[in-house]
Amino acid sequence: MNTTPSPPTRLPQKLLLSLGKAGINIFLVILTVTVWQSGSRLVNEVGKFLSFQKTEPEIDISNILIEKLRNASELTTAVYAMETVVPAQQSRQILGVTLGTTRLLYVAYGEVKAGVDLSQLTAEDIRVENDRVIVTLPAPVILDSKIDVNRSRVYDYSRGFLSLGPDVGPQLQSQAAQETLHHMIASACQEGVLVQAGDRAELAVKELLTLSGHEQVEIEAAPPNLTACPILPKIY
């Protein structure tokens, strides 16, 4: 009895189709992941390229120092005080003949203040070199001068024989005060008040900047202009 041999065993076509679809799906997944990773790196690189670089803030310390010193305005570093007796007189005349003379002795007390005007500082006056600050101060000047009317007084007032001198007490007192003020400024300059003011201003500004955190401070000061001081008048 002859039997017909069975055909070789073959995978069903559906199974082959299923395996083929699975392989394609796996390939697509791998391809997607690869593209996603590459895309992420690309996005990161583009982001880095387009991102703004942060730089350290630049601060002009010179302007800060100028404002700090200008706030001190007029830095008074030396005061000269004196008390003096100043005579003043005025005569009454008719046709060139003196009828009487009014004399006044005024005891005046006043003060002369000297220092530097920090409001004159400019950007060129402050230099910053690494950690060192170099400041060039303006020349010391007379900042204020005045007569203390509460401590001044008329010591003697006379209109002469029969009071024939003019009654000009207030005018003579004002004249004496002006002469006293002029005399005080001249005396203060001769006593070196401007030199003292310049030296003390250097110390004061250096201490101010040192307390503000600047360890290396160098002060350069212009010499006082002594020719601007008035000439000492004669008191008679």
Side-chain angles (χ1 to χ4, degrees):
M1 179 177 176
N2 292 331
T3 59
T4 304
S6 59
T9 305
R10 297 181 181 176
L11 292 176
Q13 293 183 354
K14 291 184 178 181
L15 180 58
L16 291 176
L17 292 175
S18 298
L19 290 176
K21 291 180 179 180
I24 293 173
N25 290 335
I26 293 174
F27 173 76
L28 291 176
V29 170
I30 294 175
L31 180 61
T32 301
V33 171
T34 302
V35 172
W36 177 79
Q37 290 179 346
S38 300
S40 298
R41 287 194 297 269
L42 180 61
V43 170
N44 291 335
E45 293 299 326
V46 173
K48 290 180 181 179
F49 178 77
L50 295 178
S51 63
F52 293 99
Q53 297 294 327
K54 294 183 178 180
T55 59
E56 293 295 329
E58 296 182 1
I59 301 176
D60 190 351
I61 190 173
S62 299
N63 292 333
I64 296 176
L65 294 179
I66 287 177
E67 291 301 321
K68 184 179 297 184
L69 293 177
R70 280 179 175 173
N71 288 336
S73 188
E74 294 181 347
L75 181 62
T76 301
T77 53
V79 178
Y80 179 85
M82 70 175 295
E83 186 178 66
T84 185
V85 179
V86 180
Q89 66 180 29
Q90 185 174 341
S91 300
R92 185 194 302 273
Q93 294 182 343
I94 296 179
L95 300 176
V97 178
T98 300
L99 299 180
T101 301
T102 299
R103 291 180 174 86
L104 178 142
L105 289 178
Y106 186 63
V107 180
Y109 178 88
E111 292 183 346
V112 177
K113 297 180 180 180
V116 295
D117 187 0
L118 297 179
S119 64
Q120 297 181 357
L121 287 174
T122 63
E124 290 74 19
D125 295 325
I126 297 181
R127 307 190 306 274
V128 180
E129 300 176 357
N130 297 326
D131 295 331
R132 186 175 61 159
V133 177
I134 304 172
V135 181
T136 301
L137 295 179
V141 294
I142 302 296
L143 297 176
D144 187 26
S145 59
K146 62 182 180 180
I147 299 293
D148 188 346
V149 295
N150 295 323
R151 302 177 64 175
S152 303
R153 67 190 187 280
V154 175
Y155 178 74
D156 184 47
Y157 178 71
S158 174
R159 295 177 63 188
F161 180 70
L162 297 178
S163 298
L164 293 178
D167 188 11
V168 288
Q171 293 90 327
L172 290 180
Q173 182 176 341
S174 176
Q175 177 186 344
Q178 291 298 322
E179 291 182 2
T180 302
L181 196 59
H182 189 81
H183 179 80
M184 284 194 314
I185 296 175
S187 298
C189 289
Q190 288 189 354
E191 292 294 328
V193 68
L194 293 179
V195 177
Q196 295 177 12
D199 294 340
R200 293 174 183 176
E202 292 184 37
L203 296 176
V205 172
K206 184 174 183 178
E207 183 177 0
L208 174 63
L209 295 180
T210 300
L211 293 176
S212 301
H214 306 283
E215 297 180 357
Q216 300 183 35
V217 179
E218 183 178 332
I219 306 298
E220 300 175 353
N225 184 13
L226 299 179
T227 59
C229 292
I231 300 175
L232 189 63
K234 294 181 179 180
I235 303 297
Y236 56 92

